[in-house]
Structures are given as structure tokens and as C-alpha cells.
Amino acid sequence: MLGIIRQKVAGKLNHALNFEQGVGAVALRAFSSSAKQMTVRDALNSALEEEMSADPKVFIMGEEVGEYQGAYKITKGLLDKFGPERVVDTPITEAGFTGIGVGAAYHGLRPVIEFMTFNFSMQAIDHIINSAAKSNYMSSGQISVPIVFRGPNGAAAGVGAQHSQCYAAWYGSCPGLKVLAPYSAEDARGLLKAAIRDPDPVVFLENELLYGESFPVSAETLDSSFCLPIGKAKIEREGKDVTITAYSKMVGFSLQAADILAKEGINAEVINLRSIRPLDRSTINASVRKTNRLVTVEEGFPQHGVGAEICATVVEDSFEYLDAPVERIAGADVPTPYAANIERLAFPQVEDIVRASKRACYRSR
Amino acid sequence: MAQLTRRSLRLLRPTSAARLLTTTASTAPISIETSLPFTGHNIDPPSRTVETSPHELLTFYRDMALMRRMEIAADSLYKAKLIRGFCHLYDGQEAVAIGMEAAITRKDCIITAYRDHCLYLGRGGTLLEAFAELMGRSGGCSKGKGGSMHFYKKENGFYGGHGIVGAQIPLGCGLAFAQKYSKDENVTFTMYGDGAANQGQLFEALNMAALWNLPAILVCENNHYGMGTAEWRAAKSPSYFKRGDYVPGLKVDGMDALAVKQACKFAKEHALKNGPIILEMDTYRYHGHSMSDPGSTYRTRDEISGIRQERDPVERIRKLLLAHDLATEKEMKDTEKEVRKEVDEAIAKAKEIPAPDTSELFTNVYVKDFGLEAFGPDRKELRTVLP
């Protein structure tokens, strides 16, 4: 139905790999001085280890986090280091163990609850929203909930409709929650540490396909006190012609799209949202006021999505600055199919981002 | 202002004859038999002989009378439209709250669902804070932002106050998890009703509590109706104390405060050594499910008045006090008058307290909310950066 540009860009993410194999390292533009590389997996693992060492109240709970070393190996080695009291394997009972985690947080512990994927969080969503997010408000500050809910979110590769949904928009709409979506290893480390230290409930949306990706990390990032602020987006690539907002895996796609656009004389500014809630409206608006054009990119379903919120916020705050309608790139409005060719069509690809950016610049083809 | 400070139910100032009675009453132990024996599931039940004292019995009487009065007053306030939304009343079930408090400390935790007013009082909450919260005033225990279903008193081990049926059960097991993690030798009483007893998350949480030996005591307040559905219409097996299967259980006469006390004491000892246990309190609520339920479409008025005559918990203690010569009719009538006055005064004071300031709309959304934006319905009108 649409002409699909053949991808010849090296480092395209291979959708056919499963989590057991590492995804090939993608060299990205380094923003740091050091040449050390770290996978997102190692970044998360090291963040968990450091925070657990620093605060004895932090513990991990979830399916296969202990003896299995983590379904995606994020918690590898932690059981050996901290013992079964602090790395707790649960039965397959999301509603039960999420409630137990929230109750433990009420009492003053700092749980990190892992969902094997956020698709399973739907079984526990009552506890995330009604027991965790709203408690501090309903109790007028008496019952705080310093908990982190983390796990892979969004599409993997070939896992089908029930295992591929992105929940950023659902959790992002809920007051009382903070919702983070890291992209790089630096994001993973800094945001997870911030989430664990934060006194509020945090939903931490990782991405399975990013776990194996390597990113350069600075000495500062590797320091155990490293922390990123919650609620601040990062400008991954500065530009002046069009603003592209993205989170998680789509940041990588957007950066690739920006490289392609640069060859055609369009200088794109790529914003890595990092924080879905609170949304960094000021960074987004400042960027749009500079470029006058906006493309929002997300993997999730389009209706009531993150892009819809970003579009609304820009229209509310920076209407006079827009030179073109806001473009939204999102997942297709369908449950995710299995067959590789149509699965590919169900999710944004680099060429979709390129095309939309050109449209925003009134350049077709 | 003395009235605003939390008044522990066990520390009474002798400003009246009735209070003089309780403070000078003897703490010498006396033994009383519970009305019914306990029934055990996979466990040997405790003895029917309960150790108590004149002081304790008098305190039971006064505290239950206070709770009864509070709930009846809440009924009137609701009909006068001073209380809005939901209001679930506990009258009839007072013995469970009172008996439990007598067996535990404030370091033990209690968590319950929405029928929480009396448990809040038992945990040291004041009448003033309760009524102010019900009427949506800033002096309420949740500053008017919670309402009837969201009373909390964390410093006294009361964790609410929950509106979603059954959710409090895993939460309570989580409290027990934290207690075990911190090695603090305390237990959590997780309360739920016969309606919630069929919830899947109960069994999920119970399984984990048993696996990990958590000091969790699941207390089913079986008042025989889940909203309007009688227990035999909702549960294939209404023997809730047996539903734990591998988890031991005890069936208790929930209208007998001494039986409740004995069971809770027993359960606490068990939970600290052997993990979870289920207590089924056979109790009854006189009101309907909530103030919007007359409570008579699914049960007969004869049933309600029958229980009131045969099993009323306050009446039972009254009879006990008379039988053991611990108080006279007049003294107990004086106590009731005093309690009524206390409730009326608290209501009058609560009515004076203003509603929360409109800025409170945006407070406590987060603990750490510095610099975060929040929007009202018209985002151009009501928009604030959180303090």
C-alpha cells in the first residue's frame, strides 16, 4: 500500500532475533569523552546492584528474577550477591505479588517489582493504579509508596498480539505515577537509579530489543552516585528544521531517520523523551518554537497515545510557532500480527519517520 | 487543644463517674468462658477460657458503645447530606475491632476494606478526625481528601481504608512481608469480608504468604452478606476458615469480644512461628451494605432483630458486667450518655472545621513533586507548578 524504501542502513535492528542472542552492537554518535561501551542489560544490572548495595530496604521481586538469573538476564548475579530474601522469586501470580510489593512499600521497604513483560502488568494494574498511584493523595501524605515497577514494554519480535503492546500511554495518563522510558545505557542506569531512589511509584518501561544494544558510557555515568533527573527529556541530536520526539527504541530509529534526512538537507532535532510522565513540555515546546515543525514517534497504539498528548501540548502552548500540521507516527491500529512481513508493517520503521518529517517540511519524496 | 490530640482508648481521663469507674477498676485477672467453642481447621483450637480483667471488660463496653454511637450518628449525618458518596457502617461488628485491639500492639499492622471507621477508632483515631473526614473537612484524618473508605493512621499501624474489594489482602501480606524482612517480630491482620473471600488475589497472596512463612493473619469478617448476596449464593464452600486448605484456620464467634481477643492472641503467636493463619469471625452488620442499601431486600427484618436480641456484642458485655457485679445498670447508662455526648460534641466541632483549601486539589499527588506541573479541567485557567 505504501512504497517501502529499501533499508540499506547498517545497524538496522534485526527483528527476528530472540532474547537469548545478543543484538549486534550499534555504534551511535558518542556524546561522552570515554570510549567505554555498555549494554543496556549491563546498565540495568549494575544500577540494580548499586542501589541494592546502597540501601538495604531495596529488594527485587518477580518471576524468575532469582535462580533463573532473570528472564532477560537483567537480574543476573543478584541472587548470589544479595540472597533470596532480597531477590525473591514468585509464583506466576501478578495480582498477588504486585499487591504484596505495594504493601511492603506502604510499610517502608523499597520494592523493585519485575513484570516479565508489561503485558502481564494488566493482571496487576489495579494495584499499580488504585493501591500505589493514588495512595499518597487519598491519605493526604500519610501513605507513600516508594516502589518501582519495571520490565520490557512494547514489541519484541514475532511474539504475537498478546505480548507486544506498549503501555506508555496507559500509565502515562495516571496522576500519582511517574513513568520513565530509557533508551541508551546511560538512560537505563541514570533513570533506574533515580526511580529506585524516588519516593513515588515509578513505572519503568524497558525494551527487550534494546537490552543487548551497546552504548558509549562516560566515567560519570559509571559512577555509583550517577542519577538522571526525572521529568527531563534529552536532546539527542540538535537540529533546526524539524523536531522529532521519541522514546525507547524509537529514539534509535529517529536518529537513523535524522541521518537520512541530513543527506537531503533537512536538519532534524531528535528529542529522547526519557520521561513519559511527567512529560518535559518545556523542552518539547522550546524545540518546536525553534524548528516550527513536529513529528511524534511511538511504538504504541495511536489513539490516545503519547504523540496525541505531545501534539495537544504543542498546539496549546506554541500554536503560532507551528508552520505545518503536527505529524504522528505510531504503531498500526491493529493487534500485532505474527508473520514477519505484516508485523513489520504494524510498527514504525525508519522510512516512516523520514517520510513524515519530509511532509512536515512540505517536501514529498 | 486537648480534644484534637489522639486519645488512646486505653488511657482515659477521669472527668466523670463512668470514666472513674474504668480507671479505678481492677486489673486483677478473671477468667471467662467464650460463648461458643472455637472450631479449628488443621490446627488445635485455643481454650474457651479467656483471661480478662474488670478494667478490660469495662473498657470493652465503653469502646464498643462509642463505636456503636459513632456509626449511628454517621447514619444521621448521611441522611442529612453532610456525608456524601459511600458510607459503609460497622454497627454489629464492633466486637471484632475491640477484641483484636486487646490482643495486639500498635506495632502490629491492621489493614481492611471500606468498612473502616471503627477499626480506625480502635487504632487510636479520634472521633473528631473521623467525622471531619466523613464530612470532607480539612481536619479529617486524610484532610478531607480520602473520604469514608480511606481512613489511615500509619503511625499506629493502621493502613486503611481500601475501596477495591480484595485488594487489601495482598497489600496486607505485603505488610507482613515487610515485617518479616525487617525482622521486627510483629504481625499483620488483613481483614476482608465473605464477599472478598472468593477473590483470586486472596489465594495468590495466601499461597505466597504460606510459601514464605509471612506473619500474616487473614481475618474474614463473615457478616454473611457480600453487599446483597448471601454467602450461600456466592460461595460453594462458605466455610471460609477452611478455604486456606494447607493454611490452618479458626472459626470464631465474632460477636463475642473475648473470643475474638483469644483468637487473635492465638493467631499472633502462630503467625510469628508458623506463618499465615485464617480467622473467620462469625459476625453481623445491622445496616445494609452501605447507606444506599436499606438492607432488607435480601434478608428479613426478623433475622436482623433476632441477631440484635440474641447476639449483640455490646449487650453481651453488658450482661457480663452485670453478672460479675462489675458495674451497675445506672453506671452503664451513664457511660452510654457520656459516650453519646462525646460523639455529639465531636460532630459539632467537626462541623466547624472548614473544607480543604482549593490549593489542596493539587497537593500530595506525589511525595517528590517539586517543579512538576499539574492541570485543572481548563488547563489555561487552572495550572500550577507543584510546591
Side-chain angles (χ1 to χ4, degrees):
Chain A
M1 79 187 137
L2 303 162
I4 296 173
I5 302 165
R6 289 259 160 76
Q7 281 270 42
K8 284 192 181 148
V9 179
K12 151 194 111 168
L13 289 171
N14 187 336
H15 283 274
L17 290 172
N18 66 30
F19 67 84
E20 296 275 16
Q21 304 165 354
V23 176
V26 178
L28 294 166
R29 279 174 64 172
F31 287 95
S32 55
S33 51
S34 161
K36 185 160 199 312
Q37 296 269 324
M38 188 180 227
T39 60
V40 170
R41 177 178 286 115
D42 289 340
L44 294 167
N45 184 278
S46 61
L48 285 168
E49 203 209 302
E50 284 161 24
E51 293 307 302
M52 287 179 77
S53 296
D55 186 349
K57 294 207 170 91
V58 179
F59 71 94
I60 298 179
M61 182 179 266
E63 294 156 13
E64 313 301 350
V65 294
E67 287 191 13
Y68 197 89
Q69 305 296 323
Y72 300 96
K73 305 293 177 269
I74 306 300
T75 52
K76 185 172 179 188
L78 297 178
L79 176 65
D80 283 339
K81 179 147 195 216
F82 297 103
E85 276 171 19
R86 296 187 67 194
V87 182
V88 183
D89 279 325
T90 65
I92 308 173
T93 48
E94 274 78 5
F97 69 72
T98 306
I100 286 179
V102 175
Y106 282 2
H107 202 270
L109 296 185
R110 303 190 83 94
V112 176
I113 302 295
E114 177 172 305
F115 292 115
M116 200 178 282
T117 77
F118 265 93
N119 301 284
F120 315 138
S121 73
M122 290 197 285
Q123 302 207 301
I125 200 166
D126 176 62
H127 282 295
I128 300 174
I129 308 293
N130 282 322
S131 305
K134 298 178 183 171
S135 281
N136 197 60
Y137 190 85
M138 290 192 296
S139 68
S140 224
Q142 263 193 79
I143 311 280
S144 68
V145 193
I147 194 169
V148 176
F149 304 103
R150 51 157 292 273
N153 175 59
V159 291
Q162 293 178 338
H163 287 72
S164 304
Q165 191 164 334
C166 173
Y167 292 87
W170 283 29
Y171 291 120
S173 71
C174 188
L177 284 182
K178 291 175 180 168
V179 181
L180 302 175
Y183 162 61
S184 63
E186 181 191 334
D187 289 356
R189 264 185 67 78
L191 292 176
L192 186 55
K193 282 155 99 50
I196 294 173
R197 295 180 201 176
D198 197 279
D200 293 304
V202 181
V203 171
F204 194 81
L205 304 171
E206 300 159 6
N207 184 289
E208 192 212 309
L209 296 173
L210 284 176
Y211 284 152
E213 264 198 51
S214 281
F215 295 84
V217 281
S218 66
E220 193 203 340
T221 306
L222 293 169
D223 187 75
S224 64
S225 64
F226 177 66
C227 210
L228 285 173
I230 291 179
K232 292 295 304 161
K234 180 183 181 195
I235 299 183
E236 292 284 349
R237 182 192 200 284
E238 278 185 34
K240 56 176 183 57
D241 294 328
V242 59
T243 299
I244 303 175
T245 63
Y247 61 91
S248 189
K249 192 158 116 256
M250 292 293 121
V251 176
F253 280 28
S254 301
L255 289 168
Q256 289 176 50
D259 285 340
I260 295 172
L261 289 164
K263 294 198 184 85
E264 311 205 19
I266 298 176
N267 194 353
E269 177 149 293
V270 176
I271 299 182
N272 171 5
L273 292 173
R274 282 181 166 175
S275 183
I276 305 295
R277 185 178 185 100
L279 198 56
D280 190 349
R281 299 171 203 275
S282 51
T283 299
I284 298 167
N285 277 287
S287 174
V288 172
R289 288 179 183 213
K290 184 172 73 172
T291 66
N292 311 124
R293 296 155 205 282
L294 175 62
V295 177
T296 69
V297 184
E298 67 197 289
E299 227 182 23
F301 295 135
Q303 191 164 337
H304 313 299
V306 175
E309 174 62 28
I310 294 176
C311 175
T313 217
V314 162
V315 163
E316 279 158 6
D317 289 344
S318 307
F319 182 68
E320 315 80 52
Y321 292 83
L322 283 170
D323 284 348
V326 174
E327 296 282 347
R328 266 193 304 175
I329 294 293
D333 217 358
V334 296
T336 308
Y338 166 66
N341 63 330
I342 45 174
E343 185 188 27
R344 196 178 179 284
L345 291 176
F347 292 107
Q349 305 301 331
V350 176
E351 57 259 27
D352 295 310
I353 306 172
V354 170
R355 193 185 317 112
S357 306
K358 282 183 173 166
R359 269 201 315 261
C361 296
Y362 292 114
R363 301 242 305 257
S364 49
R365 319 234 143 256
Chain B
M1 293 216 280
Q3 250 99 345
L4 284 177
T5 58
R6 181 172 33 82
R7 197 186 294 137
S8 159
L9 285 174
R10 298 197 198 156
L11 238 56
L12 299 166
R13 282 173 305 166
T15 56
S16 68
R19 287 196 214 172
L20 198 60
L21 191 66
T22 42
T23 47
T24 56
S26 156
T27 50
I30 55 177
S31 294
I32 298 187
E33 286 244 312
T34 63
S35 58
L36 296 169
F38 300 99
T39 318
H41 166 73
N42 288 349
I43 196 163
D44 287 326
S47 147
R48 281 176 77 172
T49 312
V50 186
E51 272 227 345
T52 179
S53 71
H55 181 268
E56 179 167 79
L57 289 172
L58 287 161
T59 315
F60 275 10
Y61 181 74
R62 190 183 199 281
D63 292 346
M64 284 201 281
L66 188 74
M67 288 178 176
R68 178 68 58 92
R69 220 13 19 239
M70 174 179 73
E71 296 294 75
I72 292 175
D75 175 302
S76 309
L77 287 174
Y78 192 89
K79 287 173 176 150
K81 297 202 195 301
L82 285 161
I83 299 177
R84 300 163 56 238
F86 293 125
C87 190
H88 307 87
L89 299 175
Y90 199 74
D91 50 312
Q93 298 182 215
E94 298 90 349
V96 178
I98 287 297
M100 187 179 291
E101 280 300 330
I104 65 177
T105 72
R106 290 275 163 81
K107 290 252 170 349
D108 296 311
C109 301
I110 298 181
I111 190 169
T112 187
Y114 42 76
R115 209 173 295 277
D116 58 347
H117 308 161
C118 298
L119 282 150
Y120 170 74
L121 222 61
R123 290 263 93 182
T126 63
L127 285 172
L128 181 64
E129 285 173 303
F131 285 119
E133 186 62 35
L134 288 170
M135 294 196 276
R137 308 298 170 96
S138 58
C141 50
S142 300
K143 309 230 180 74
K145 287 166 75 166
S148 164
M149 298 186 288
H150 304 295
F151 284 20
Y152 306 86
K153 200 135 196 107
K154 186 174 173 180
E155 73 262 27
N156 282 2
F158 184 55
Y159 285 84
H162 294 270
I164 306 295
V165 170
Q168 76 276 20
I169 301 166
L171 294 173
C173 293
L175 293 171
F177 181 94
Q179 287 171 320
K180 183 166 180 156
Y181 189 100
S182 316
K183 301 184 173 26
D184 63 7
E185 295 295 301
N186 295 310
V187 299
T188 297
F189 286 81
T190 299
M191 310 186 59
Y192 60 99
D194 47 292
N198 301 311
Q199 278 260 316
Q201 57 188 321
L202 186 159
F203 297 95
E204 292 189 19
L206 191 64
N207 177 44
M208 285 182 269
L211 264 177
W212 303 331
N213 237 29
L214 302 182
I217 298 152
L218 271 66
V219 181
C220 178
E221 291 184 279
N222 182 7
N223 57 26
H224 307 284
Y225 295 93
M227 200 157 159
T229 307
E231 62 182 325
W232 57 271
R233 288 177 65 221
K236 186 72 178 172
S237 163
S239 301
Y240 301 105
F241 70 110
K242 290 186 185 166
R243 297 267 295 270
D245 183 19
Y246 42 83
V247 169
L250 207 62
K251 184 157 176 170
V252 185
D253 179 2
M255 303 301 252
D256 180 351
L258 291 169
V260 173
K261 174 186 161 185
Q262 183 87 319
C264 291
K265 185 158 166 285
F266 176 77
K268 178 171 173 175
E269 278 162 24
H270 181 274
L272 282 172
K273 284 202 301 278
N274 304 318
I277 182 171
I278 297 180
L279 298 179
E280 180 185 335
M281 304 287 181
D282 186 350
T283 183
Y284 200 83
R285 55 162 162 82
Y286 295 135
H287 270 89
H289 163 71
S290 72
M291 284 304 299
S292 25
D293 170 25
S296 51
T297 57
Y298 49 87
R299 51 185 192 172
T300 63
R301 292 194 199 281
D302 283 343
E303 181 188 287
I304 305 170
S305 52
I307 304 268
R308 216 186 264 277
Q309 270 171 352
E310 310 283 316
R311 297 179 65 205
D312 185 276
V314 187
E315 191 54 34
R316 163 165 296 144
I317 298 289
R318 227 171 143 270
K319 288 201 180 100
L320 223 56
L321 290 172
L322 288 171
H324 289 260
D325 258 333
L326 299 174
T328 64
E329 286 273 8
K330 180 176 184 306
E331 280 162 345
M332 288 195 285
K333 267 216 160 47
D334 285 343
T335 302
E336 277 172 43
K337 277 208 198 99
E338 210 185 85
V339 143
R340 199 178 182 126
K341 185 158 165 281
E342 209 178 307
V343 165
D344 290 340
E345 278 172 7
I347 292 176
K349 265 212 161 56
K351 283 179 178 167
E352 303 287 308
I353 302 178
D357 187 82
T358 48
S359 63
E360 294 284 345
L361 176 66
F362 292 114
T363 57
N364 306 122
V365 179
Y366 299 103
V367 173
K368 188 172 164 190
D369 55 12
F370 177 71
L372 298 181
E373 275 189 313
F375 299 95
D378 182 348
R379 353 169 28 100
K380 306 255 177 199
E381 259 301 293
L382 201 60
R383 177 177 186 159
T384 185
V385 175
L386 297 176

